[in-house]
Amino acid sequence: MEKPVSLDSFDLKLLKLVQIDAQQPVAEIAEAIGLSTPACYRRLRRLRETGVIEREVAIVRPRTLGWPLSMIVMVTLEREGPSTIGEMMHLLDREPEVVEAWNVTGDHDLAVRIVARDMESYDELAQRLFSANERVRSFKTLVVIRQVKALGPIPVD
């Protein structure tokens, strides 16, 4: 279990701003939250070192790189061993088309977000990952028509 990190109002304001734009100059962030630039740098470094800020990445539109289709796949696994979910997560982690995967509660065991160049390539991937996999009891594919909301910031208020 992760140890909670103590965050004050400056940390929360800083987190709110960097979740919107992590490339914003630190001097601008510092001014916006009422800190000196060096104090803001120190806080950012502490937030990174403690894992509050897990990583900073560029979010690329899949369509611009030739991945126009997105699917959410709900997977139900067979329960033949305690390592089944771990093995499946490891398998999914190695696939470049799998951009996110979660172990979930409810009627399914896994929720998987996949990008594909076309339906044929998705079908090949689904056959290999799910249909031909003895760990998988069933799976349901939801094709994304349009994204309603992109990955948003975590509320800090």
Side-chain angles (χ1 to χ4, degrees):
M1 183 110 176
E2 289 183 34
K3 193 166 101 176
V5 177
S6 177
L7 302 173
D8 65 17
S9 63
F10 290 112
D11 292 327
L12 296 176
K13 290 176 190 173
L14 192 154
L15 289 169
K16 188 173 190 175
L17 292 175
V18 297
Q19 285 186 89
I20 295 168
D21 182 3
Q23 289 192 313
Q24 185 176 4
V26 175
E28 289 179 21
I29 295 171
E31 184 177 335
I33 65 176
L35 286 175
S36 68
T37 300
C40 192
Y41 270 114
R42 283 191 300 274
R43 285 174 181 268
L44 274 170
R45 184 174 50 246
R46 180 178 63 84
L47 293 168
R48 290 178 183 123
E49 289 170 354
T50 59
V52 173
I53 296 176
E54 188 172 338
R55 62 189 181 132
E56 297 170 56
V57 299
I59 299 172
V60 177
R61 266 180 233 246
R63 183 176 299 277
T64 63
L65 296 177
W67 301 94
L69 298 175
S70 290
M71 289 75 159
I72 307 295
V73 183
M74 306 305 295
V75 182
T76 303
L77 300 175
E78 294 293 346
R79 297 288 184 187
E80 294 185 10
S83 62
T84 302
I85 290 177
E87 291 169 3
M88 194 65 190
M89 291 299 284
H90 180 70
L91 176 68
L92 295 172
D93 190 46
R94 294 192 324 245
E95 294 295 331
E97 295 94 338
V98 174
V99 293
E100 293 182 274
W102 305 272
N103 179 208
V104 298
T105 62
D107 294 337
H108 306 283
D109 298 300
L110 300 167
V112 183
R113 188 166 79 93
I114 293 175
V115 293
R117 295 196 187 279
D118 52 41
M119 287 307 291
E120 291 80 16
S121 63
Y122 169 71
D123 185 50
E124 289 171 15
L125 181 69
Q127 291 294 324
R128 188 167 41 81
L129 288 179
F130 309 123
S131 295
N133 188 326
E134 73 271 355
R135 294 179 196 95
V136 175
R137 179 182 313 149
S138 64
F139 69 98
K140 179 186 338 182
T141 302
L142 308 170
V143 177
V144 176
I145 296 170
R146 84 178 59 85
Q147 186 176 40
V148 177
K149 182 177 182 178
L151 178 63
I154 302 299
V156 296
D157 298 330

